[in-house]
Amino acid sequence: MSPVPKVIVVGAGPTGLTLAAELASAGIPCRILERRAQRSSWSRAFGLTPYTMELLDMRGQADATIEKGLPWKHGPLGDGKSYLDFGRLDSRFPFMLIMPQNRTEEVLEAWALRAGAELVREARVVGLRQEDSGVTLDVEGADGKTWKEHASYVVGCDGVRSAVRSLSGIGFEGMSYDCSLVTADVRLKHPPDPPVHAITGARGTVAVFPYGDGTFRLIVLDRARMQVPLEQAVTLEEVEQSVRAILGVDLGIHEPLWMSRFRSDQRQADRYRAGRVLLAGDAAHTHIPSGGQGLQVGVQDAINLAWKLIAELQGWAPEGLLDSYQEERHPIAKATLRKTDLVFKYEISSAAPLRLVRWLIMQSLKVNAIQLPVVKEFAGLTLRYPPPRGADAHPLVGRRVPDIQMDLPHARPVRLYELLRQRRFVLVDRTLEGRFASVVGHGWEDRVVVARGGAWDRIDLPPALLVRPDGIVAWGVTRAGVPGLEAVLHKWCGGPTEASVPARAAASA
């Protein structure tokens, strides 16, 4: 095995792989423990939202990911004709990327291994103990023998039945639904036109998504069969009958690659951190897959947590930085659970009043002014972390930063997301005299990249802003001016390096 890891990530799903790739790319020794012998061939989640693609772009992984998927700008509304137009988004990725989860894991695993993370398969965590110096795990291999693993931190990304969460004594409260849905990856002799298609009717809902390789994902919510026990295997005949009854046409379903009946839970961990143990992804929260948000929220968890762990392990984290992971991510997942629960209840109800509501919503979403906010919500672009209480904060603080072209003096044009690939803060100073950029030179040069000039056409952006490594705006210039920036640098980046303090004092004299 590689040198003793600073972080052990338990679980090699999208969340764990993203986290490990982030840590290893920053030079943090990282080991992934995965109980599966190989990547699952099941597709499970099947798409990436524009915001997830932006996060991958901030790490230089978006283009390689797009090559494995199918970009699609139109999300079906459920009447077979209308759609949500993702092409209207202010993003470099104005589409949903249709892509089976096993292919997503393939891309993320290659990234993690290339960055230097170590992946150990057939490794099941059976014991966990915390000490002042870190966490010790008891791990069982395929041969039944156990060994010990030790690291400064352990992150449980091991799914709904998380061993890390259970062994750490963290609660996972919520509810289970009593109705089942069917998903299947199949081939179609008569695919719909356009191939991304959805119909919601009195009998239920069928959604069709192409993978671009001749196979399709079917999601079938058949109200006549929602009480079928989970133990009853899905048959091709059942899928054909349900789809024909709901759509009213025969798609020529054949060659099933995978079929599954599932019921979902709505649960969330009561805390995301217990000492040196943290949770992310499905180990921290799980919900009905309405809206396809599960994988997205997990990747967001990983990107948010990674830079804070890196700061802790590199020794520059200000007090409370690691606790801000739960403070920011727990409310996001809680809101996602609430929204997906409402959407699912709306989807499964056969009551006449709700059918009328569905029709009215579908009609209203054909109006551009109403549709755009909904598209932004589905795309993930409305995410916001709470700004500091009582602070003189710019309205952009806590929000995702848009990608902007930086026409830097004496340098080639560069996008802001490309600068974020250094995994450091980025200060964008558009003032002619660079009065904010000079602050960074007082001891924060090792943690902050300075970008002078550029983006003059973006009147929606302030003259200067500080962007966190995860692409979230930490500060925008307000009437507080330079002192406001200094306060934010202390809050997020810690104090200035000692070597720069004398120089700063001399400059102030």
Side-chain angles (χ1 to χ4, degrees), residues 18-345:
T18 302
L19 178 61
E22 281 283 85
L23 296 170
S25 296
I28 303 298
C30 177
R31 183 171 297 150
I32 312 166
L33 303 180
E34 169 56 50
R35 60 180 178 80
R36 295 175 298 176
Q38 57 189 9
R39 280 196 308 273
S40 173
S41 59
W42 298 354
S43 59
R44 299 180 64 194
F46 62 95
L48 301 175
T49 64
Y51 181 52
T52 300
M53 293 304 303
E54 289 184 349
L55 291 174
L56 292 175
D57 190 26
M58 294 173 198
R59 299 301 182 257
Q61 304 302 314
D63 292 340
T65 305
I66 291 173
E67 291 177 1
K68 299 285 187 178
L70 178 66
W72 199 268
K73 292 187 176 183
H74 298 153
L77 281 175
D79 63 354
K81 298 175 290 184
S82 308
Y83 55 83
L84 297 175
D85 186 3
F86 287 86
R88 301 175 60 206
L89 295 173
D90 176 20
S91 173
R92 188 166 174 251
F93 309 97
F95 51 78
M96 297 292 293
L97 186 69
I98 304 174
M99 181 169 168
Q101 182 172 321
N102 55 340
R103 211 177 295 166
T104 302
E105 290 184 7
E106 178 185 339
V107 172
L108 296 176
E109 182 181 316
W111 175 27
L113 296 180
R114 192 168 57 247
E118 181 184 15
L119 174 57
V120 181
R121 291 194 174 274
E122 296 184 283
R124 187 169 67 93
V125 174
V126 295
L128 181 152
R129 294 175 303 284
Q130 293 203 51
E131 305 96 16
D132 291 341
S133 61
V135 185
T136 299
L137 300 177
D138 296 321
V139 184
E140 182 180 87
D143 58 2
K145 295 180 179 179
T146 61
W147 71 90
K148 297 186 185 303
E149 295 270 0
H150 185 83
S152 300
Y153 291 93
V154 167
V155 185
C157 304
D158 47 343
V160 176
R161 297 175 180 81
S162 169
V164 173
R165 186 188 64 236
S166 178
L167 292 167
S168 300
I170 298 175
F172 198 50
E173 300 301 320
M175 56 165 284
S176 299
Y177 292 101
D178 60 357
C179 49
S180 61
L181 288 75
V182 168
T183 58
D185 289 345
V186 299
R187 294 187 181 276
L188 303 177
K189 294 178 182 177
H190 314 296
D193 184 21
V196 176
H197 186 74
I199 290 289
T200 297
R203 173 77 178 254
T205 297
V206 168
V208 184
F209 297 91
Y211 288 139
D213 60 357
T215 60
F216 293 77
R217 160 62 61 88
L218 299 180
I219 302 174
V220 183
L221 190 160
D222 186 347
R223 296 192 183 97
R225 300 190 60 79
M226 286 193 300
Q227 301 306 317
V228 174
L230 283 182
E231 297 75 23
Q232 184 171 321
V234 180
T235 66
L236 187 59
E237 181 182 13
E238 175 188 355
V239 176
E240 288 175 329
Q241 290 178 350
S242 292
V243 169
R244 193 180 300 113
I246 297 168
L247 294 185
V249 296
D250 182 7
L251 297 180
I253 302 169
H254 67 292
E255 291 186 44
L257 282 73
W258 170 71
M259 299 187 295
S260 175
R261 192 186 317 277
F262 71 93
R263 290 180 182 171
S264 289
D265 291 344
Q266 293 278 100
R267 300 184 185 277
Q268 186 173 22
D270 53 33
R271 52 197 168 122
Y272 286 8
R273 182 185 181 189
R276 290 177 174 269
V277 174
L278 298 108
L279 302 176
D282 286 352
H285 44 74
T286 184
H287 53 80
I288 197 76
S290 299
Q293 294 300 307
L295 187 151
Q296 325 304 325
V297 178
V299 171
Q300 292 169 28
D301 286 348
I303 299 291
N304 183 292
L305 175 59
W307 74 268
K308 298 171 182 178
L309 270 175
I310 291 166
E312 288 284 340
L313 292 166
Q314 290 181 344
W316 58 265
E319 183 178 356
L321 180 64
L322 199 52
D323 288 330
S324 73
Y325 166 63
Q326 169 167 323
E327 292 167 4
E328 292 182 337
R329 295 304 303 164
H330 195 279
I332 295 294
K334 186 175 182 179
T336 301
L337 264 70
R338 183 173 63 251
K339 293 171 188 175
T340 54
D341 179 59
L342 288 173
V343 170
F344 185 60
K345 288 175 179 176

